[in-house]
Structures are given as C-alpha cells and as structure tokens.
Amino acid sequence: DGGITQSPKYLFRKEGQNVTLSCEQNLNHDAMYWYRQDPGQGLRLIYYSQIVNDFQKGDIAEGYSVSREKKESFPLTVTSAQKNPTAFYLCASSIGGGIEQYFGPGTRLTVT
Amino acid sequence: GQQVMQIPQYQHVQEGEDFTTYCNSSTTLSNIQWYKQRPGGHPVFLIQLVKSGEVKKQKRLTFQFGEAKKNSSLHITATQTTDVGTYFCAGKHDTDKLIFGTGTRLQVFP
C-alpha cells in the first residue's frame, strides 16, 4: 500500500522543547517537502529536498531543521527558536521538482 | 518575491449554483496545479496545466490556464455538497518549488 505517512497525528509540547515530526514515503519519490498551514491560510514552504543528503530552505525556514539521510524519510525538527510553532504541518513528496505533490495526512502541533 | 494570489477567499453557494476561483501570479509560470483540501484533511492533487491557453475538464470541473501563463481559473458547474473544501492553485516558476496560492474556501448549502 503505497503512500506517504506522518506521525503522530496530534502532538502537544511545552514551550522551549524541540520536537521532531516524522515523514516517510514508499513511493520512491526523489523530492520531499515540508509545509506549514495556519488556520484559514495557505501552505508555506519550510524546507525541501530534491535528493538524498541535500535540502534547501523554503520561505519560512527559521526555527526549523531537517535531514534527508534516506530517500524514504524527511524528518522535521521544530526547535525552541521557532516563535509560533503551533500549526498544521504537512509533508509532501513528488517524483521531481514542480511535479504533482502527494501529501501526507499532516501533524497538528500544539505548543503551550 | 514570487506570489500567487487567489480570489475569492471564501465563497458560499447554494447547491446547484456554479462556482469559480481565480489564481494570479506576479510572474510567468511553467505550469500550474490545482489541489483540493477537504475540511480536516490534506491537499489532494486535481490537475496540472502546462500550455498557454490550455483548458481541461474533469466532469463538472473546468480548469483554464491563461494565454500569458500568469493566471488560471477553476470553475465548478452545478455544485454539490461533496465539493465543499478549500481549493488551492500552485504555480511553478523557474525553480523546482511550487508556490501555493492563498486558497478559496467553498461552502455549499443544500
């Protein structure tokens, strides 16, 4: 059953803690992306990776970090430096850049 | 920077009425894609347009790409309650990133 998975679905953290969101895909896609969505808003690109061991900052990378050690996995760490971390985080993958993207179910992060 | 704007932000229609959302880019696009996000869900790819002036149809949905490849529209004929959700356009410029529009939230009343 091919697809892209994110875990957990809901995540609660205290302010000042780092938290890592998981994203795994078995679609054999080279490109992976992390977006942030705030209530009633569009999608803003945090980081993206076109190939293993390489990634680029998106429009709102400050306070976030990523790694791409395996083709299947692209975890996102929300650090304590991120001023407003509470949001809906979406991971996506695609065969290549600018091609249709497949989205995971998302993780709703709440930081109090 | 590169931006993709969508209007309207919200649209409420009676079931059976038509609906249109418009997408405008500040720069020429290589392609434009449309996604639908149901309430509480994640975006799902609908279609991609590549050629200037291209028109594609999916049942009651009609997608257009402008002649200048800077704007696009999605038109739904005779809306149904299953059409409820937020519709996003996403444009590819000269990089490998997609720039997502701000989205149009559609509500359909039975």
Side-chain angles (χ1 to χ4, degrees):
Chain A
D1 192 19
I4 180 165
T5 58
Q6 291 184 244
S7 61
K9 190 171 183 178
Y10 298 95
L11 190 54
F12 298 88
R13 279 293 183 272
K14 293 290 187 186
E15 202 172 299
Q17 293 178 333
N18 290 356
V19 59
T20 297
L21 311 185
S22 165
C23 178
E24 303 279 332
Q25 54 98 0
N26 60 4
L27 300 168
N28 200 33
H29 286 171
D30 285 315
M32 296 187 75
Y33 310 83
W34 274 106
Y35 294 92
R36 170 183 172 137
Q37 187 174 35
D38 294 285
Q41 302 292 315
L43 282 67
R44 292 186 289 169
L45 182 64
I46 304 173
Y47 267 98
Y48 65 106
S49 168
Q50 301 285 63
I51 198 167
V52 174
N53 292 322
D54 189 42
F55 49 82
Q56 286 79 39
K57 292 182 179 180
D59 301 317
I60 56 165
E62 187 175 346
Y64 300 97
S65 66
V66 292
S67 63
R68 186 85 188 277
E69 296 176 3
K70 297 188 298 182
K71 188 175 185 178
E72 303 79 23
S73 179
F74 191 39
L76 172 75
T77 297
V78 184
T79 75
S80 56
Q82 168 51 232
K83 297 277 188 279
N84 298 297
T86 295
F88 186 42
Y89 290 88
L90 286 158
C91 180
S93 70
S94 66
I95 294 172
I99 310 299
E100 67 175 278
Q101 295 184 5
Y102 293 78
F103 283 84
T107 293
R108 291 191 185 277
L109 173 65
T110 302
V111 176
T112 57
Chain B
Q2 296 161 341
Q3 289 187 337
V4 176
M5 303 300 293
Q6 257 183 279
I7 55 170
Q9 190 174 5
Y10 302 100
Q11 184 87 61
H12 298 169
V13 300
Q14 203 74 34
E15 190 173 21
E17 291 181 338
D18 293 355
F19 159 77
T20 305
T21 174
Y22 300 91
C23 187
N24 291 286
S25 169
S26 54
T27 57
T28 302
L29 301 170
S30 302
N31 70 49
I32 194 154
Q33 300 169 24
W34 285 91
Y35 293 78
K36 177 183 178 181
Q37 184 176 23
R38 293 183 186 275
H42 58 275
V44 174
F45 174 82
L46 293 176
I47 208 160
Q48 176 174 289
L49 304 170
V50 179
K51 299 176 184 175
S52 168
E54 189 170 12
V55 178
K56 286 188 176 180
K57 293 191 176 185
Q58 287 180 349
K59 297 183 180 177
R60 294 178 295 104
L61 277 61
T62 302
F63 304 84
Q64 290 189 318
F65 200 8
E67 294 291 339
K69 299 182 75 172
K70 284 188 175 183
N71 56 71
S72 181
S73 64
L74 158 59
H75 180 81
I76 302 179
T77 303
T79 54
Q80 300 175 357
T81 54
T82 53
D83 295 325
V84 165
T86 301
Y87 292 85
F88 292 99
C89 62
K92 180 182 182 300
H93 296 264
D94 52 359
T95 69
D96 287 328
K97 299 185 298 182
L98 283 180
I99 308 296
F100 277 81
T102 45
T104 296
R105 186 183 299 178
L106 172 64
Q107 182 62 262
V108 180
F109 295 107

